[in-house]
């Protein structure tokens, strides 16, 4: 039995459903081909109807877009492509009236090379912001200071001719890494946190949260071995010194203290893209003093197979400190969408995957389009926008396939932008899946997602109850939530007969709308890829 510990004082996010908005691809109000804040405001009714509690907005700040917003040129403003600070404040207010909170994306690992801090920093070795970034003399051979490589390929260092020193970038050369040993950087981010939290922003998703502090001595990374994960072998090294240093926890504790000064506390949701679950667990600190939620990449990367997924979930639950709360997602703007990666475009698999995310113990995060089973787009070489796709094409198409725009209706450009405009990335065919058609169809994936969210809202068991796995065939994930709710997920194409504990109960929601009203005894026959939630067990 795992995950039965009660959270002493649940905050709003423990029982919430979060939803990621990739703003550039969500909805375009002014017909220039990319999404914006007024476009998002127009569709708040969809999100309220769906029943989500909070939106995480991918970066909205001014950016030269070398990495589509993740190269920030100003942390306390709005990119003119998306609107104004007034638009953002209006969004916070309007969403608030609908019971929806707004989370922003904080990018503390690096800035844009066009950020005034970096422009000052590179202007002179004596500049006020010189120590805001990681500068170092060339190595003994006159090359880069050490062997660190960029996550996006190539060396992790770029020579600045003016000073003869190199600066560090764990991503693009246009994304110089901040130096988190600098007190000035720490103080500046305290102000950024307060700037947004004072304006009613409910928290942050924290970009590459595990990476921000680097080894102060800039030691070489050790070589990868053949037992290491594929990515490390590809880069030829373990990111031992340019990532996940113990001092990152000091920064998280500092932010948690600031968060605790607000009512309600502001949510710290980390992008903790680490391989090992014990490392993941460490980002929760004592359970009450670091991140509130830490994204679980081993879960995202597991196949849609019952044993593989319950293994990650149960090991995670066993490792989390007391009071820590998991978070589950299957898609985001960096990984193939769950409808493609987990479900191979099969709507039956999409349904059971969504039912799973929304019924596990923890906070689910849907990515825009998950609710209609949106699949990845097809991108040709000349349509590529992602710098990573451009670099690795044709071996890797980058992240554009999961960033294609949201189809709102079956019309031209799916109602994402004006019929005469050109969407910044090509649309998937909006006739295959779109919001309007699915809203009108009670048997659609969207209608099911909404029913599951509504069932979750009505059920303290599903929101905050413990998790206990029950005996089942290997292809079925059968678990109890809380006192009297059982979830049965057939993660296979083979029908399975299972035995419920006790004498059955009533099906409150499931992947098959025809079954919703039925009341089984203790024997339950699950169709291929079928999932049900049974209450009163
Ligand atoms: C995170 C973001 C990703 C970005 C990278 C560098 O992983 O999710 O989109 O490219 O950080 O900022």
């Amino acid at each position: 039995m795992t995950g039965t510990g009660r959270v002493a004082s649940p905050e709003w996010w423990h029982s919430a459903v979060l939803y990621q908005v990739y703003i550039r691809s969500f909805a375009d109000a002014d017909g220039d081909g990319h999404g914006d804040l007024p476009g998002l405001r127009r569709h708040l009714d969809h999100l309220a109807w769906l029943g989500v509690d909070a939106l995480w907005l991918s970066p909205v700040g001014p950016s030269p877009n070398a990495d589509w917003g993740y190269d920030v040129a100003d942390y306390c403003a709005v990119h003119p492509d998306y609107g104004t600070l007034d638009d953002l404040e209006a969004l916070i207010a309007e969403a608030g009236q609908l019971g929806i909170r707004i989370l922003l994306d904080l990018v503390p690992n690096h800035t844009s090379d066009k950020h005034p801090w970096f422009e000052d920093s590179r202007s002179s070795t004596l500049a006020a912001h010189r120590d805001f970034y990681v500068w170092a003399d060339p190595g003994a051979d006159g090359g880069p200071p050490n062997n660190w490589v960029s996550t996006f390929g190539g060396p992790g260092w770029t020579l600045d001719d003016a000073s003869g020193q190199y600066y560090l970038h764990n991503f693009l050369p246009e994304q110089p890494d901040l130096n988190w040993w600098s007190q000035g950087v720490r103080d500046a981010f305290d102000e950024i946190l307060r700037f947004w939290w004072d304006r009613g922003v409910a928290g942050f998703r924290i970009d590459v949260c595990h990476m921000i502090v680097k080894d102060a001595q800039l030691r070489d990374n050790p070589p990868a071995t053949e037992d290491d994960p594929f990515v490390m072998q590809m880069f030829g090294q373990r990111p031992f010194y340019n990532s996940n240093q113990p001092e990152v926890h000091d920064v998280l504790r500092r932010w948690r203290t600031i968060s605790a000064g607000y009512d309600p506390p502001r949510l710290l949701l980390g992008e903790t893209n680490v391989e090992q679950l014990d490392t993941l667990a460490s980002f929760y600190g004592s359970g009450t003093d670091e991140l509130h939620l830490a994204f679980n990449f081993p879960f995202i990367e597991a196949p849609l197979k019952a044993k593989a997924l319950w293994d990650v979930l149960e090991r995670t639950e066993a490792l989390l400190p007391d009071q820590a709360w998991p978070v589950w997602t299957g898609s985001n703007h960096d990984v193939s969408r769950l409808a493609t990666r987990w479900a191979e475009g099969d709507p039956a698999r999409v349904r059971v995957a969504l039912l799973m995310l929304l019924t596990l113990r923890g906070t689910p995060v849907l990515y825009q389009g998950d609710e209609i089973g949106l699949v990845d787009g097809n991108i040709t070489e000349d349509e590529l926008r992602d710098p990573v796709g451009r670099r690795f094409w044709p071996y890797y198409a980058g992240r554009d396939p999961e960033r294609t725009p949201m189809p709102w209706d079956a019309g031209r450009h799916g109602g994402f932008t004006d019929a005469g405009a050109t969407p910044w990335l090509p649309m998937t065919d909006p006739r295959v899946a779109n919001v309007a058609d699915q809203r009108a169809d009670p048997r659609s994936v969207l209608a099911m997602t909404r029913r599951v969210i509504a069932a979750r809202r009505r059920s303290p068991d599903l929101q905050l109850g413990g998790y206990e796995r029950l005996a089942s065939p290997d292809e079925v994930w059968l678990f109890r939530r809380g006192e009297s709710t059982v979830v049965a997920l057939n993660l296979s194409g083979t029908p399975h007969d299972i035995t419920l504990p006790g004498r059955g109960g009533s099906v409150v929601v499931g992947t098959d709308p025809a079954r919703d009203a039925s009341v089984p005894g203790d024997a339950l026959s699950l169709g291929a890829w079928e999932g049900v939630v049974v209450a009163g067990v």
Side-chain angles (χ1 to χ4, degrees):
M1 186 183 289
T2 55
T4 51
R6 293 199 183 281
V7 175
S9 36
E11 293 291 348
W12 65 267
W13 60 80
H14 288 96
S15 50
V17 175
L18 309 187
Y19 183 101
Q20 181 189 355
V21 171
Y22 189 75
I23 184 88
R24 187 159 283 264
S25 293
F26 195 67
D28 174 20
D30 61 4
D32 57 9
H34 51 73
D36 44 41
L37 291 167
L40 168 55
R41 283 169 65 192
R42 278 188 200 169
H43 288 289
L44 282 175
D45 63 337
H46 165 68
L47 299 163
W49 173 87
L50 183 60
V52 301
D53 301 283
L55 311 180
W56 144 35
L57 272 50
S58 295
V60 294
S63 164
N65 286 332
D67 187 24
W68 297 108
Y70 286 95
D71 47 323
V72 177
D74 184 346
Y75 286 97
C76 296
V78 171
H79 195 302
D81 281 359
Y82 301 138
T84 62
L85 192 54
D86 284 348
D87 289 323
L88 186 54
E89 292 191 335
L91 172 77
I92 294 168
E94 263 175 55
Q97 280 162 11
L98 296 167
I100 297 176
R101 299 170 203 256
I102 302 295
L103 308 168
L104 295 183
D105 208 315
L106 183 74
V107 188
N109 182 67
H110 45 266
T111 69
S112 161
D113 62 345
K114 301 292 182 296
H115 193 292
W117 295 339
F118 189 68
E119 293 189 331
D120 179 53
S121 184
R122 79 185 319 175
S123 69
S124 151
T125 52
L126 302 173
H129 295 92
R130 185 70 175 181
D131 83 328
F132 266 42
Y133 295 86
V134 185
W135 291 98
D137 290 331
D141 61 354
N146 66 21
N147 72 349
W148 298 354
V149 290
S150 157
T151 309
F152 286 171
W157 297 91
T158 290
L159 179 65
D160 183 53
D161 289 329
S163 66
Q165 286 197 314
Y166 282 82
Y167 68 87
L168 176 68
H169 49 86
N170 264 321
F171 295 91
L172 299 175
E174 294 88 346
Q175 295 171 294
D177 276 44
L178 285 161
N179 171 22
W180 276 90
W181 296 101
S182 154
Q183 192 57 43
V185 168
R186 293 184 184 212
D187 292 345
F189 271 83
D190 289 357
E191 293 309 308
I192 293 164
L193 262 51
R194 291 199 178 94
F195 178 88
W196 291 112
W197 291 350
D198 289 349
R199 280 170 174 72
V201 166
F204 285 116
R205 175 266 190 186
I206 304 163
D207 192 59
V208 286
C209 176
H210 56 294
M211 262 198 160
I212 62 179
V213 183
K214 283 78 188 182
D215 178 45
Q217 298 174 52
L218 304 178
R219 281 170 281 189
D220 275 345
N221 277 329
T225 71
E226 58 188 23
D227 298 329
D228 283 327
F230 171 73
V231 181
M232 284 185 208
Q233 293 193 48
M234 198 176 75
F235 286 121
Q237 58 184 240
R238 296 178 171 171
F240 196 76
Y241 287 116
N242 60 336
S243 175
N244 194 23
Q245 299 302 294
E247 294 79 7
V248 66
H249 300 283
D250 298 337
V251 178
L252 297 179
R253 281 190 289 270
R254 181 180 176 114
W255 292 348
R256 179 73 176 243
T257 304
I258 301 175
S259 151
Y262 287 83
D263 183 21
R266 302 311 197 226
L267 173 61
L268 299 171
L269 163 62
E271 186 205 16
T272 38
N273 191 348
V274 293
E275 310 271 349
Q276 303 298 334
L277 292 173
D278 53 350
T279 312
L280 174 69
S282 75
F283 286 96
Y284 287 90
S286 69
T288 55
D289 65 351
E290 295 193 33
L291 293 178
H292 298 105
L293 300 173
F295 272 125
N296 192 318
F297 281 78
F299 183 85
I300 298 176
E301 282 151 18
L304 187 63
K305 293 198 163 130
K307 267 186 103 164
L309 289 162
W310 84 49
D311 175 61
V312 176
L313 178 131
E314 291 173 13
R315 284 190 296 125
T316 303
E317 290 273 26
L319 288 162
L320 289 191
D322 190 31
Q323 303 301 316
W325 185 250
V327 52
W328 307 111
T329 191
S331 310
N332 63 43
H333 65 293
D334 293 329
V335 299
S336 169
R337 291 179 174 123
L338 69 83
T340 297
R341 201 187 66 263
W342 273 346
E344 297 176 346
D346 173 6
R349 286 186 237 181
V350 173
R351 284 169 190 263
V352 73
L354 288 167
L355 185 65
M356 170 184 80
L357 284 175
L358 292 163
T359 54
L360 293 175
R361 176 182 183 267
T363 301
V365 184
L366 300 180
Y367 177 50
Q368 66 185 46
D370 280 351
E371 72 272 37
I372 56 169
L374 186 64
V375 294
D376 290 345
N378 289 316
I379 307 285
T380 59
E381 186 179 2
D382 46 339
E383 289 165 338
L384 288 174
R385 298 296 207 124
D386 177 20
V388 184
R390 286 189 174 147
R391 180 172 179 109
F392 291 109
W393 182 273
Y395 306 104
Y396 171 50
R399 300 163 298 176
D400 292 322
E402 55 264 21
R403 297 175 178 182
T404 54
M406 185 78 179
W408 293 100
D409 59 41
R412 186 165 161 74
H413 302 328
F416 162 70
T417 185
D418 293 355
T422 307
W424 81 289
L425 276 174
M427 307 284 309
T428 53
D429 183 349
R431 291 165 303 182
V432 176
N434 69 71
V435 172
D437 287 354
Q438 291 202 16
R439 261 181 94 142
D441 176 4
R443 302 185 60 88
S444 67
V445 172
L446 177 59
M448 183 212 80
T449 308
R450 181 171 183 252
R451 280 196 298 273
V452 179
I453 293 176
R456 195 187 143 89
R457 279 197 163 174
R458 288 191 300 267
S459 164
D461 277 354
L462 287 179
Q463 289 183 318
L464 293 171
Y467 161 93
E468 179 193 5
R469 183 158 52 82
L470 304 170
S472 66
D474 280 355
E475 293 180 325
V476 175
W477 195 355
L478 185 67
F479 55 91
R480 184 190 286 281
R481 288 295 318 281
E483 300 299 315
S484 59
T485 302
V486 167
V487 179
L489 306 168
N490 181 2
L491 296 179
S492 81
T494 312
H496 280 286
D497 293 330
I498 58 163
T499 308
L500 292 174
R503 293 297 311 166
S506 58
V507 173
V508 288
V509 74
T511 52
D512 177 1
R515 190 197 274 272
D516 280 1
S518 66
V519 182
D522 67 351
L524 180 65
S525 294
L526 290 172
W529 303 108
E530 189 185 6
V532 295
V533 178
V534 186
V537 186

